[in-house]
Amino acid sequence: MINRIRRSFARAGACQHGGRVQEAASILGAEPLDFSANINPLGSPPLKELFLEELENIGHYPDNSYRDFRRAAGKFVNVDMECIVPGNGSSELIRLFAECCFEEGDIGLVPTPSFGEYTNQSLLAGAVVKKVSIRTDGLPLLNDTDLEKAKLLFLCNPNNPTGRLLCADQVIDLADRCEEAETFLLVDEAFIELSEPEESVAAQAPHREFLFVMRSLTKSFGVPGLRLGFGVTNIKLAGILNLARIPWSIGSLAAAAATYLLGCEEHLEQSRIVIKEELAWLEFALQKLGLRPLPSSVNFILVNIEPSGLASDILAERTMAQGVLVRDCQSFGLGKIYLRVAVRSRSENERLIAALEKALLCRD
């Protein structure tokens, strides 16, 4: 049987993610406080009334063109709606773009450390993944030969898991190199609305042939259960991707929510204020525990735990025993000396610090 399956699928491995609340709850007997997934600490604007109203349309297929969603997304990033590709979260868009770009054996460049789905979806599409290190300025270390040989380069901005934000000029310079090399550049801006949205390059995408920029409503508006995102590119490429994507991949409830949420910019403004305050508080509290949080520009922190003398999987397990989930960063290729923690409300952040303190004091 296996020899009749596409080789890239037969070789597929698991991609590790945070947010495994239900799995942890089955072990703990109660729902844990989740710091392993990086979601807006203010949660989402109220959606109950919208959903109740939209339930009247649940007997019909969604509009597969998602005109309202695309119109709202276009207005949100100041581009024409014809440049918008709606998606069932960032993961669907990464997969769609990888399938669009890669033929068997093509090269995909993935800066390391960064989001695991870039590698996972590239391999599933049959690509050969070449991992490249990240320079001290936050950009991938690339020579012209590597860029010219590659079909697609991924860039996460702000970077997950480091929390580092590149300025728009840095990304535009890289996009210029990709245009010259005729190499596609996927810029994942899933967290930029919770950081500094003025550094987005989404408005540049319609004017370039090889640039595709992704945004995530899941993270920005605190709705991971809805799975919502969109891509921005030139009209011709957007048309190809919209024809290639799975029909009706976004349910009618989620599509209606997307249109509404993209008008809630005041919610995002307030979220950025809270994140900035809590980020500073949490960095200081982690330092007081003897840990080394890396500077971050967004709603999560990469923490060097080497001073604790504990391996990341051990400390994550002990913290979970206290009812709090944190992200072990081994799957990012960072060894056993890093954890990633989200930035949440003050009371929740205090619970995280208390759980970490108990976990650090615990001795087998």
Side-chain angles (χ1 to χ4, degrees), residues 3 47 68 152 260 268 314 332 346 357 362:
N3 65 332
L47 292 168
D68 291 342
L152 172 59
Y260 167 71
L268 294 176
I314 300 299
F332 290 104
R346 178 61 56 86
E357 186 173 23
C362 179

Side-chain angles (χ1 to χ4, degrees), residues 191-245:
F191 296 101
I192 206 161
E193 288 301 331
L194 302 179
S195 179
E196 297 178 31
E198 62 271 17
E199 301 300 342
S200 170
V201 297
Q204 290 278 326
H207 310 293
R208 295 170 180 265
E209 287 193 70
F210 293 91
L211 180 60
F212 183 70
V213 180
M214 295 193 326
R215 301 293 271 272
S216 170
L217 280 72
T218 294
K219 311 295 193 307
S220 300
F221 292 102
V223 288
L226 284 182
R227 314 305 308 134
L228 285 168
F230 64 90
V232 188
T233 190
N234 61 75
I235 288 178
K236 185 173 182 179
L237 183 53
I240 292 170
L241 292 167
N242 275 316
L243 287 172
R245 62 178 168 78

Side-chain angles (χ1 to χ4, degrees), residues 3 11 18 32 38 48 68 83 121 138 145 159 174 204 247 251 286-287 305 323:
N3 65 332
R11 295 192 299 261
N38 309 316
K48 185 176 180 179
D68 291 342
C83 298
Q121 298 302 332
T145 301
N159 181 265
L174 181 59
Q204 290 278 326
L286 289 165
Q287 289 170 350
I305 64 165

